Amino acid sequence: MAKEIIMPKFGFTQEESEILEWLNKEGDKVEKGDPIAVVSTDKISMEVEAPETGILSGIRHGIGEIVPVTEIIAYILQPGEALPEFESKKPEIVKAKAAPSPQVGSSVKISPLAAKLIEENQIDVADLIGTDADGRVSRRDVEDYLDRKSKPEGKIGATPAARRIARELKVDLRSVKGSGPNGRIQAVDVSSGKATLSNQNIPDDMPSVLKEIPLIGMRRMIADNMARSVREAPHMTLQIDVEMDAVENLRKTANEIVKKSNSRISLTAVIVKAAALAIKKIPIINSQFTSEKILVLKDINIGVAAALEEGLIVPVIHKADQLDVSRISVTLNDLASRARENKLKPEDLSNGTFTISNLGMFGIDRFTAIINPPQSAILAVGAIKPQMVPDESEDAVFNKKKILTFTLSADHRVMDGMQAANFLVELKDLLQQPEKIFK
């Protein structure tokens, strides 16, 4: 029986991925676990693996196409086996069986992304035809409708991804030579420099451009996620200064015992452990907001933001509260190394419940981070700076201390200022009594 290959779901909020590359061609023999395609998620490029050994067949989507998660992208066949009957039909025939255009006032199934486009472009749902199997209106249907509406003289052969990128980059698709079947324009054709920018609405005195960065792939998804976070989550920010002398002394002592450099305990690892323990005391920090309820999560999975050339990713330390500091440090080193080599796995980036962003190594004293949806809080970590601090036991006596400023951004829909403040106070107490972290 033909084995379906579906577009994997790599995260809580992911709805679709873009196919960046097919590593095998139609008819190739593949082994179970072999990477057969590369797709982009909202975090990083990922490989899709063959679910079993056999022959790659029935590839349904080309490079540059955006595919909803869980949709079939290809099949694995055994020798002598045939594709499912509907797969052998022409795409036009399959589309002809789609649900008819819904009538005004009828109940119409619409995907979340399609609904967003419909609202932004003020489209009458009655004008749309749903081409998904159950008649649901997809993002692709809305994009095709907008393209037809803007070009009444005839539709240009192009993938939905190519049309979206063309709109974003103000590219005239009539100037693009398509590399797909029958000259169909692919996303790569638009973004690789084969197209010319439309001169419409470009002022004569526009400043000269040093470099153009297409808003596609990871960069596009980061932009969408961050904009959604700022737009939907009312951020409140709280700061606290923490004396780091005790924790740095204890970390130094621990590292003197460790001989292997990759096992040395980093400051970030200590902060991850401290944050996890503080969350156990103040669990509302570890929450997600939904339209009907607030979900307080059991597992404490700490994401640590890391910068790549393509954008920001957040590898996750799962169940960080149950790991000792040494193990957290080793895991962080491994994740960072594999991130640089683009070898992270989906599970390395999935199910994060709280994020830490550390810019202290760049000399940044303090900053405010944007919450990583669907999480409810993010901790920004600055640099350790020497400061003169008054002695609590004596008047007019100052001592030199190592001070680090932590800034918590929290979703005010989920928690109040008192709860966020209690988390920071608990974090401070742990870092100033580090034996609780290292035990």
Side-chain angles (χ1 to χ4, degrees):
M1 181 176 178
K3 179 69 174 179
E4 298 173 346
I5 305 173
I6 66 169
M7 179 64 76
K9 184 178 179 68
F10 297 110
F12 279 133
T13 60
Q14 183 196 358
E15 295 184 353
E16 58 185 22
S17 289
E18 180 178 350
I19 295 179
L20 301 179
E21 181 182 5
W22 281 102
L23 302 176
N24 299 89
K25 62 181 183 297
E26 184 89 13
D28 281 356
K29 188 177 186 303
V30 296
E31 300 290 330
K32 182 177 181 180
D34 283 353
I36 58 174
V38 179
V39 302
S40 71
T41 73
D42 58 345
K43 302 179 180 77
I44 197 172
S45 300
M46 289 289 187
E47 293 179 342
V48 178
E49 297 180 350
E52 66 178 44
T53 298
I55 301 167
L56 179 63
S57 305
I59 294 176
R60 301 179 67 178
H61 300 280
I63 294 172
E65 291 199 45
I66 295 176
V67 184
V69 297
T70 73
E71 182 171 305
I72 299 169
I73 59 174
Y75 290 87
I76 298 292
L77 301 182
Q78 301 306 315
E81 219 171 25
L83 285 170
E85 183 179 351
F86 70 90
E87 280 299 316
S88 62
K89 298 180 181 179
K90 296 287 185 182
E92 291 78 12
I93 297 176
V94 176
K95 190 169 183 177
K97 294 186 177 181
S101 177
Q103 300 297 317
V104 178
S106 63
S107 178
V108 181
K109 294 180 180 179
I110 303 172
S111 75
L113 288 173
K116 181 180 178 182
L117 280 176
I118 290 170
E119 181 180 358
E120 290 175 349
N121 294 278
Q122 297 182 335
I123 299 170
D124 187 344
V125 179
D127 294 333
L128 300 174
I129 297 176
T131 60
D132 278 4
D134 58 353
R136 188 177 75 155
V137 176
S138 68
R139 174 178 178 170
R140 186 178 307 172
D141 299 327
V142 181
E143 289 178 334
D144 283 347
Y145 168 82
L146 290 171
D147 187 78
R148 290 194 302 271
K149 188 176 179 181
S150 65
K151 293 183 175 63
E153 69 277 7
K155 182 178 176 181
I156 297 172
T159 66
R163 298 180 191 282
R164 173 174 58 81
I165 296 169
R167 284 196 297 272
E168 293 166 355
L169 300 181
K170 295 183 175 64
V171 169
D172 186 349
L173 284 175
R174 289 171 293 188
S175 68
V176 182
K177 184 177 180 181
S179 62
N182 301 318
R184 193 183 191 203
I185 299 170
Q186 309 288 315
V188 67
D189 300 328
V190 182
S191 59
S192 64
K194 297 179 182 178
T196 58
L197 285 177
S198 169
N199 291 322
Q200 297 179 359
N201 301 323
I202 300 180
D204 295 335
D205 58 347
M206 179 179 175
S208 58
V209 177
L210 175 64
K211 180 181 180 182
E212 291 182 0
I213 303 175
L215 200 58
I216 58 176
M218 184 192 296
R219 191 71 263 164
R220 172 70 180 186
M221 292 177 181
I222 291 172
D224 288 345
N225 284 342
M226 293 299 97
R228 178 166 66 90
S229 179
V230 172
R231 183 172 61 250
E232 296 180 2
H235 285 52
M236 62 173 171
T237 58
L238 299 84
Q239 290 189 338
I240 196 167
D241 291 338
V242 178
E243 293 181 8
M244 300 295 290
D245 298 81
V247 72
E248 281 294 83
N249 289 337
L250 189 53
R251 189 170 72 90
K252 181 180 178 181
T253 300
N255 283 335
E256 288 175 350
I257 302 172
V258 177
K259 295 182 179 180
K260 295 182 180 179
S261 59
N262 63 348
S263 298
R264 293 175 65 83
I265 297 170
S266 66
L267 178 59
T268 300
V270 176
I271 294 171
V272 167
K273 179 65 175 182
L277 294 176
I279 287 172
K280 288 193 73 172
K281 290 289 187 69
I282 317 294
I284 192 66
I285 300 294
N286 205 50
S287 300
Q288 292 179 9
F289 178 87
T290 73
S291 59
E292 297 180 351
K293 62 188 75 172
I294 294 170
L295 305 176
V296 181
L297 305 175
K298 179 180 179 181
D299 290 343
I300 301 174
N301 303 330
I302 308 281
V304 180
L308 299 179
E309 186 175 344
E310 300 87 356
L312 194 70
I313 61 169
V314 186
V316 178
I317 307 292
H318 295 89
K319 298 183 179 180
D321 58 309
Q322 300 177 24
L323 304 176
D324 60 39
V325 179
S326 297
R327 183 59 191 167
I328 291 173
S329 194
V330 170
T331 303
L332 282 173
N333 288 336
D334 174 62
L335 289 171
S337 176
R338 289 192 286 116
R340 290 190 293 268
E341 298 171 1
N342 200 25
K343 292 182 178 179
L344 289 174
K345 299 177 181 179
E347 55 266 29
D348 296 326
L349 299 166
S350 64
N351 299 333
T353 61
F354 180 82
T355 297
I356 293 173
S357 180
N358 187 354
L359 293 179
M361 65 284 291
F362 300 106
I364 303 301
D365 292 343
R366 63 193 70 202
F367 67 101
T368 301
I370 298 173
I371 298 169
N372 184 23
Q375 299 169 19
S376 295
I378 184 170
L379 185 68
V381 181
I384 294 178
K385 297 287 185 178
Q387 293 184 25
M388 299 304 295
V389 178
D391 194 316
E392 296 180 0
S393 60
E394 298 183 42
D395 294 334
V397 175
F398 287 80
N399 297 315
K400 188 176 181 180
K401 298 286 186 180
K402 295 177 180 178
I403 303 297
L404 193 155
T405 300
F406 291 90
T407 304
L408 181 71
S409 298
D411 188 340
H412 218 324
R413 298 172 301 178
V414 173
M415 67 196 78
D416 300 323
M418 178 68 74
Q419 294 166 311
N422 285 339
F423 167 79
L424 286 178
V425 170
E426 184 65 31
L427 180 71
K428 178 177 180 177
D429 289 345
L430 286 164
L431 290 170
Q432 293 186 168
Q433 302 178 63
E435 61 276 3
K436 296 180 180 179
I437 301 172
F438 282 81
K439 66 179 182 179

